[in-house]
């Protein structure tokens, strides 16, 4: 039972960290990149790279963890972007 909790917590940690780092790269892109498309692509790319790196380091490279971490991290990244756009419009 403890192994499932450990795997789940590592999964959640990897997803949250990769989405946050991708979002931070997107936010810092305002100073350097004029195009929003390039910022989105760069943010998603960093989220994918960090997700792969974290999964490789923490879960020993099991392929389906890569897919799950990257998929959920991109969804969380999009949620972060949408919520930041909504707070800027208020």
């Amino acid at each position: 039972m403890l192994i499932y909790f450990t795997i789940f917590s590592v999964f959640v940690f990897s997803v949250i960290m990769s989405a946050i780092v991708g979002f931070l790269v997107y936010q810092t892109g305002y100073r350097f990149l004029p195009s929003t498309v390039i910022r989105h692509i760069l943010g998603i790319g960093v989220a994918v790279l960090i997700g792969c790196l974290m999964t490789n380091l923490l879960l020993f490279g099991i392929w389906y963890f890569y897919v799950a971490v990257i998929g959920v991290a991109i969804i969380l990244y999009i949620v972060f972007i949408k919520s930041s756009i909504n707070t800027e419009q208020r």
Side-chain angles (χ1 to χ4, degrees), residues 28-77:
T28 57
Y30 279 116
R31 292 187 173 176
F32 306 113
L33 301 169
S35 174
T36 58
V37 174
I38 295 172
R39 285 193 309 249
H40 284 298
I41 291 171
L42 188 63
I44 288 176
V46 168
V48 167
L49 287 175
I50 295 295
C52 285
L53 179 68
M54 296 281 288
T55 305
N56 196 17
L57 289 176
L58 299 174
L59 297 174
F60 307 111
I62 303 171
W63 71 269
Y64 51 86
F65 281 119
Y66 284 112
V67 175
V69 166
I70 290 169
V72 176
I74 289 174
I75 291 171
L76 190 60
Y77 170 79

Side-chain angles (χ1 to χ4, degrees), residues 4-16:
Y4 295 122
F5 178 71
T6 305
I7 290 173
F8 179 73
S9 62
V10 167
F11 175 78
V12 170
F13 176 73
S14 300
V15 166
I16 290 174

